Amino acid sequence: MPSNDSLARASGNVKWWKNANIFQIWPASYKDSNGDGIGDIQGIISTLDYIKALGVNTIWISPMYDSPQIDMGYDISDYESVYPPYGTLDDMDQLIKGCHDRGMKLLLDLVINHTSDQHKWFQESRSSKTNPKRDWYIWRPAKYDADGNRQPPNNWMSCFSECAWTWDEHTQEYYLHLFCVEQPDLNWTNEECRREIYRSAMEFWLEKGVDGFRVDTVNMYSKPMDFPDAPIVDPLSKYQPAGTLYCNGPEMHKYLREMAAILARYDAMTVGELPLTPNTKDVLDYVSLKDPQLSMVFQFDLVDIGRGPVDMMKLTGYKLSALKAIINKWQTFIEGNDGWTTVFSENHDQGRSVSRFASDAPEHATNSAKLLAMLNTTLTGTMFIYQGQEIGMTNVPKDWPIEEYLDVGSINYMKLIKEKLEATGASEEEKAKAVHEALLNINAVGRDNARTPVQWDSSPHAGFTTGKPWMRVNDNYKKINAAAQINDPDSVLSFWKRMIGLRTKHSSLFTFGSFHLLEPENEQTFSYVKKSAEGDEKALVVLNFTDQAQEFKLPTEDGANWSLLQGTQPVEDPTSAPLKAYEGRVFVNFGARD
Ligand code: GLC
Ligand code: CA
């Protein structure tokens, strides 16, 4: 049966953002234009042709607003100005125009669960209990324990491993911050506050011509305002993870409908960051076109695979069958309804996908990057690619000392591990072992991995800056860099270009097709069939996720006449040769009928 999308496409009426392939830029580490060691907007502008040549049609930039940079710009002190080291409002106008002139769209990051504590709204709010903006943030009186000691209003732990409440001496109350102490949460129940958020953070930029937003922590605006304690899952910690209490709260849909009404006036898209939402029905409630709220979301099951349920930095391992089940779930949840999905395996909060999901060993890194490129470009939904992913950048080396890690998430995590060790009276030997293990976890999934400077060429500091980079460059930049790949037809970069080109050309199959998982229990090879809505085009994708050769036979049962569209490695007879380590192939059958 033709899906809504195929019918919409036939009438030329498909939403533009379904066809978007989106390149994410993290400004601090992207490209420095003036030698101060920090990436900037002119640096981005200087590479727009490079991005365009990749074949993507949309760019998302992580926060470039004015900010004290406690959480790398996710702590915004003024939505209507630019962080001076990144540039000016004029630079942003140039960037918007530079994208539009090339037929590309531009998305900004919309961070409105919280502001910086340096935002003038919070400065006013904290100035007195009677200030008109007092209620724009979440203030609560202290509790006192049996011994009369002051305690926070509840036991919630912030997303950065600390108490989620901070005591304010001046007005003698606590304020809530689900992230850093310096990131106070806005009070969305206050209507005047919401209106000002929409005006300052959204309309200001929509009027300038931006085409939409990636929406930060989109399901946390509505909290249970009685602030119940979270269940104790980590008895060694004073504070407990409370995400299931503060995510997807009672008024979420109401707030998002208000936002959607504004966005609709500009035909702007949103992609919401949606942690801790495992049920397809709940996700559909956010993205169904019938009740417009978000265009699409980032669902986190894939990037959370193999991480501990309580300690998310702890690696528990996973099987390929589990990874397939997750992809199958989020590929097929839009079948038979009007929702939409996304494809992503990296962003600024994750380890590098080559290291996470395949192999960054020197002999496998290139093939692994191509294998994952093939996976990403053949899946259904709006596809996202993160800076450096297009050249196969990897995690930082395991021997980097903790001092090289600059992310507040990594630093606080190490602090918490040490505090817990103190509390349990561990021996020196036990402590050293636990600290070493924590460092390995930070190395595997820590956010710093994605935040090292982009490797442009083999000159000092990887051509990212002529000055001293604000963060250490990954040691492998002489081997992995854009300049070395750009004219090499066998490079990871050339492969991404080819695959994005094929995805765009055959969008009915790759972007819009239906997904059918084959051999769900196979722990070595990931295979699936994609079908166009009309049923006349099919693709078969086979991906060897191991470092060993795997037997391969083309399925013939359904009589399909497969021919190779693209492989990741040269093979003589792709229809029967075993798959080499980390090899992938896409076959197509055009003009098929079933
Ligand atoms: C999101 C961002 C992350 C940031 C946090 C707080 O998860 O992706 O980088 O630290 O929100 O704004
Ligand atoms: Ca700079």
Side-chain angles (χ1 to χ4, degrees):
M1 199 187 80
S3 72
N4 293 340
D5 277 324
S6 72
L7 297 175
R9 252 192 344 272
S11 64
N13 195 18
V14 79
K15 299 274 184 201
W16 69 265
W17 36 260
K18 294 196 173 182
N19 256 317
N21 292 310
I22 304 183
F23 183 79
Q24 182 191 353
I25 290 180
W26 205 70
S29 299
Y30 184 67
K31 179 97 181 106
D32 176 21
S33 72
N34 62 355
D36 66 355
I38 303 171
D40 47 51
I41 294 158
Q42 284 301 331
I44 299 174
I45 292 170
S46 73
T47 69
L48 287 177
D49 290 329
Y50 169 88
I51 299 171
K52 171 87 185 165
L54 248 183
V56 300
N57 52 18
T58 305
I59 295 176
W60 146 34
I61 48 174
S62 282
M64 75 305 144
Y65 313 94
D66 205 1
S67 158
Q69 305 288 332
I70 302 290
D71 184 21
M72 293 307 299
Y74 284 91
D75 48 323
I76 296 170
S77 53
D78 183 359
Y79 292 105
E80 297 168 46
S81 65
V82 175
Y83 178 50
Y86 291 165
T88 62
L89 286 176
D90 280 348
D91 292 328
M92 283 303 294
D93 286 336
Q94 255 187 60
L95 176 61
I96 294 168
K97 183 165 182 310
C99 290
H100 290 170
D101 284 351
R102 288 168 178 79
M104 293 193 287
K105 310 258 189 192
L106 182 69
L107 313 178
L108 303 186
D109 218 303
L110 184 61
V111 188
I112 49 182
N113 174 68
H114 43 266
T115 65
S116 160
D117 62 350
Q118 302 304 307
H119 195 293
K120 62 179 190 292
W121 301 341
F122 188 69
Q123 297 287 325
E124 287 183 45
S125 183
R126 81 182 324 174
S127 68
S128 84
K129 280 188 179 163
T130 53
N131 183 279
K133 291 202 175 56
R134 181 66 171 181
D135 188 46
W136 285 31
Y137 292 83
I138 299 173
W139 294 97
R140 285 291 182 279
K143 277 188 174 166
Y144 290 89
D145 63 21
D147 302 327
N149 297 318
R150 192 185 70 223
Q151 297 294 343
N154 68 18
N155 69 352
W156 291 6
M157 181 188 268
S158 80
C159 299
F160 293 137
S161 319
E162 297 174 310
C163 177
W165 298 90
T166 288
W167 177 247
D168 182 59
E169 275 301 329
H170 178 60
T171 54
Q172 297 283 301
E173 279 189 323
Y174 282 93
Y175 66 86
L176 178 75
H177 53 89
L178 297 182
F179 293 87
C180 289
V181 177
E182 297 86 352
Q183 286 167 303
D185 278 55
L186 287 155
N187 177 12
W188 277 69
T189 66
N190 183 305
E191 201 181 326
E192 198 191 351
C193 173
R194 289 206 304 281
R195 272 207 306 272
E196 187 55 11
I197 294 172
Y198 303 153
R199 190 203 61 73
S200 181
M202 296 171 63
E203 287 163 312
F204 178 84
W205 288 101
L206 291 165
E207 284 297 319
K208 284 188 169 295
V210 308
D211 303 286
F213 299 100
R214 176 268 189 181
V215 195
D216 192 63
T217 57
V218 76
N219 56 349
M220 300 187 190
Y221 309 158
S222 171
K223 284 95 177 164
M225 295 306 275
D226 55 344
F227 295 100
D229 273 335
I232 295 173
V233 291
D234 183 357
L236 290 180
S237 170
K238 191 161 174 206
Y239 306 108
Q240 302 298 318
T244 47
L245 288 171
Y246 59 68
C247 286
N248 305 315
E251 304 286 348
M252 265 325 308
H253 296 295
K254 169 179 155 184
Y255 302 152
L256 291 175
R257 284 181 198 118
E258 290 178 358
M259 288 166 62
I262 297 170
L263 292 153
R265 298 206 309 265
Y266 299 87
D267 193 25
M269 70 159 269
T270 49
V271 50
E273 186 196 25
L274 200 73
L276 294 173
T277 311
N279 296 325
T280 53
K281 150 105 183 47
D282 296 338
V283 175
L284 199 56
D285 285 346
Y286 285 109
V287 298
S288 171
L289 279 175
K290 292 199 277 298
D291 179 11
Q293 295 170 48
L294 296 163
S295 314
M296 62 192 95
V297 299
F298 294 130
Q299 203 284 339
F300 280 87
D301 286 358
L302 176 64
V303 288
D304 286 347
I305 194 172
R307 304 173 69 159
V310 175
D311 178 351
M312 290 277 296
M313 296 291 278
K314 215 181 178 109
L315 294 179
T316 55
Y318 66 88
K319 288 187 167 168
L320 185 65
S321 54
L323 181 137
K324 294 188 207 184
I326 288 171
I327 291 180
N328 186 39
K329 177 174 174 187
W330 297 109
Q331 282 286 288
T332 55
F333 93 102
I334 53 170
E335 292 293 323
N337 58 56
D338 60 359
W340 190 236
T341 194
T342 57
V343 183
F344 75 103
S345 47
E346 284 190 25
N347 64 35
H348 62 291
D349 292 332
Q350 305 295 329
R352 289 289 183 176
S353 58
V354 170
S355 308
R356 272 296 302 288
F357 302 117
S359 169
D360 59 11
E363 68 277 27
H364 295 308
T366 298
N367 289 330
S368 291
K370 292 182 187 176
L371 178 89
L372 294 172
M374 186 169 271
L375 172 69
N376 281 285
T377 50
T378 54
L379 292 177
T380 297
T382 296
M383 186 196 74
F384 293 77
I385 167 168
Y386 179 69
Q387 67 182 39
Q389 189 177 1
E390 82 282 12
I391 54 170
M393 280 177 65
T394 65
N395 278 358
V396 304
K398 290 202 170 28
D399 60 2
W400 276 19
I402 186 71
E403 292 73 33
E404 301 289 0
Y405 294 86
L406 304 181
D407 169 32
V408 61
S410 310
I411 294 169
N412 284 1
Y413 176 71
M414 189 55 104
K415 218 164 80 192
L416 178 72
I417 293 287
K418 288 186 175 163
E419 275 166 21
K420 286 206 267 184
L421 288 165
E422 288 305 326
T424 52
S427 71
E428 287 309 310
E429 198 182 324
E430 284 164 344
K431 276 189 206 164
K433 201 169 152 247
V435 166
H436 179 69
E437 191 192 313
L439 187 58
L440 287 181
N441 292 341
I442 290 173
N443 177 266
V445 290
R447 309 197 300 179
D448 297 272
N449 286 301
R451 298 176 176 196
T452 59
V454 167
Q455 294 162 208
W456 291 104
D457 59 39
S458 60
S459 71
H461 312 311
F464 160 70
T465 179
T466 53
K468 184 176 176 323
W470 73 276
M471 183 180 185
R472 181 167 167 183
V473 174
N474 193 319
D475 305 18
N476 63 16
Y477 74 92
K478 291 212 167 126
K479 247 186 102 195
I480 300 178
N481 66 67
Q485 298 191 15
I486 208 150
N487 294 318
D488 173 0
D490 293 330
S491 67
V492 172
L493 179 60
S494 299
F495 189 78
W496 267 104
K497 284 186 190 168
R498 211 169 308 134
M499 285 309 301
I500 294 174
L502 290 171
R503 176 179 182 79
T504 307
K505 182 169 171 207
H506 304 292
S507 64
S508 57
L509 199 46
F510 297 127
T511 306
F512 294 98
S514 57
F515 175 93
H516 309 268
L517 180 62
L518 306 177
E519 303 183 333
E521 311 294 332
N522 183 326
E523 299 294 355
Q524 287 79 38
T525 308
F526 186 176
S527 314
Y528 48 91
V529 167
K530 297 291 302 282
K531 290 183 192 169
S532 65
E534 296 78 4
D536 56 349
E537 294 179 10
K538 285 192 198 178
L540 167 70
V541 184
V542 288
L543 307 163
N544 176 4
F545 269 81
T546 71
D547 58 5
Q548 304 292 316
Q550 302 295 336
E551 280 308 308
F552 171 67
K553 239 181 68 220
L554 264 180
T556 47
E557 303 83 70
D558 59 359
N561 187 14
W562 298 112
S563 61
L564 186 75
L565 180 70
Q566 185 65 52
T568 61
Q569 300 180 39
V571 270
E572 253 177 34
D573 182 5
T575 62
S576 65
L579 292 159
K580 293 181 218 156
Y582 299 107
E583 186 192 342
R585 295 175 201 162
V586 186
F587 299 87
V588 283
N589 180 26
F590 296 136
R593 285 276 159 206
D594 52 7

